[in-house]
Every structure is written in structure tokens, then in C-alpha cells.
Amino acid sequence: MARSIIFLTTPTSATGSMYRVIRTIATGRYEPVRWIEAFYDARRIQDAEREAPPPEDSLILYNVPQHFNHGMRLLDYRYILNARDPRDTICNQYHWELVHEAPLETPEQTAARRARVAREGIDAYALRVDNNLYIKGWFDAVRRIAPPDRIFVGYAMYCLHFDEIVGRVSEFMGVPPEAWTRKQRRHIARERVENLAENPAWIGQKWAGTDIAPGRHRHELQPETIRILTGRYRWFLDFLRRFDDPRVAHTYE
């Protein structure tokens, strides 16, 4: 028996790709469990705040940190953590709004929402949306997890130093990269940035507005918008700069 692994992530880019890599590494060791999805399917997502995932031999994608159960025994699990610069995340959310369907929306409501967001524009949208609720749920959990029980992936390292960060995750899961099978290597290689165009599972094959590098806010938002967002999220940017690998600390400036 092994402690279950929770992939705890803020809503952000590359979550699907990271989870595919983690699942590939977990093959034969951990069983993926649709734990959060079950709450969504039952339309009782808030109950996740009071229930605990299976503590043994399971792999759980936990991408709703605002509903994290802070009362459960954190020592029962190990954690793979992911977060991204919140200024970049908001840019992704804007493009997501323009192409994605939302649960329980009618086609007419979807069309109206997309038109409203398009009229608003990315800068006004970025200033209106506040992601501190997601971030705080993630941060409050992470700061209580014992360092030996956690590893931080991070969008910046995943894009810029893929092989190294995936190797670290694999070691954390008890699978040295040299033990990967040929099939595992093939599936993991598909997730490298340079291979995404040929990867049918990449979200960019379905939806426009995806990106493959940190720093998109610098190209998509006006300087004044960036200044305001930097102030709004300064506490979290400072945390990520210290928490992440020093080679990508500059991306949080």
C-alpha cells in the first residue's frame, strides 16, 4: 500500500497535459480515481470540502482548490502541485470564455456570454475577474503540507525545462525515468511543447487561444492593466518566485 497522490492545481494551462504525464508515470502503481468529477456529476461540488479522497494507491486530480477540504489529514497523502502566474491565467480564461461551453448553459446563453465577453475586451475582463479565491484555497493547503510530501511542477518549468521537471515528478512517485517502458516514453514525449502540434490530446487542437510559454500577459494586456494586476496578485507572485525553480523566477516579475 502507498499513500495516494493528489495533483493539486489551480485552474490553469497545461493541467490536462501534466495529468496525462502523471497518469502515464503512475501506470501499475496508482489507480486514477474520478473523485472531483463524481461531485460535479452529482451537482454537489461543495461537498468536496467535507469529504476526503481515498488515502491509498489512488491518483486524484484536484483542480478546484477553492473547495479543498482543509480539515482532512494532509499526512495521509502526497502532493504534486501546479500553479501559474495569475496574470497569464486570466488571459487564458478570457480566451476560454470565447470558445468553451459552460455547464448547464443553453446554446442561447452560451452565445450571449461569448458576445458579452468579446465586447468587454481582454483588459476590462482581466480587471473584472478576481482569482484570489482559487489561489487562496491552493495556497492555504500548500503552506500546511510537509515539504517531503510535496513537489511543485509549475507551468513555467513545465514549458521551459520539461524533461527535468518530469524526471523530478517521476522520482517523487518512486519511478526513476530509466524504468519507463517504451510506451511510457512515447506518451510522455508527446507532451513536450515542440510536439504539441501533433498531439491529438492537446487542448489547442480543440480550442483557440491556447499558449505554450509563460508570460502571455506581457503581449496581450495593456501596461496599465498589468500594473494593476501585478499589485492585486503581488503576494502570490512573490510566493511563486520563491517557491519555484530559480531559473524561472524572473517570469513572476
Side-chain angles (χ1 to χ4, degrees), residues 178-193:
E178 56 268 24
W180 294 346
T181 66
R182 184 176 300 177
K183 183 177 180 181
Q184 285 176 307
R185 292 182 185 279
R186 185 170 65 251
H187 281 272
I188 291 169
R190 289 196 310 182
E191 304 299 336
R192 289 194 186 98
V193 167

Side-chain angles (χ1 to χ4, degrees), residues 65-66 130-138:
Q66 71 275 27
D130 188 347
N131 284 332
N132 274 299
L133 179 63
Y134 299 106
I135 294 169
K136 190 173 186 304
W138 186 89

Side-chain angles (χ1 to χ4, degrees), residues 12-70:
T12 186
S13 322
T15 297
S17 177
M18 291 179 188
Y19 189 54
R20 288 192 296 272
V21 167
I22 294 166
R23 285 187 62 168
T24 297
I25 296 169
T27 302
R29 292 175 176 259
Y30 298 90
E31 183 66 27
V33 176
R34 294 183 74 257
W35 195 74
I36 288 295
E37 292 94 326
F39 287 104
Y40 270 123
D41 292 345
R43 298 186 182 181
R44 59 183 194 96
I45 186 60
Q46 290 187 337
D47 288 347
E49 300 172 17
R50 296 180 291 276
E51 299 185 26
E56 295 177 343
D57 301 327
S58 299
L59 174 63
I60 298 105
L61 170 61
Y62 210 125
N63 57 353
V64 284
Q66 71 275 27
H67 295 300
F68 191 81
N69 179 357
H70 295 282

Side-chain angles (χ1 to χ4, degrees), residues 48 183 210 253:
K183 183 177 180 181
T210 57
E253 295 295 341

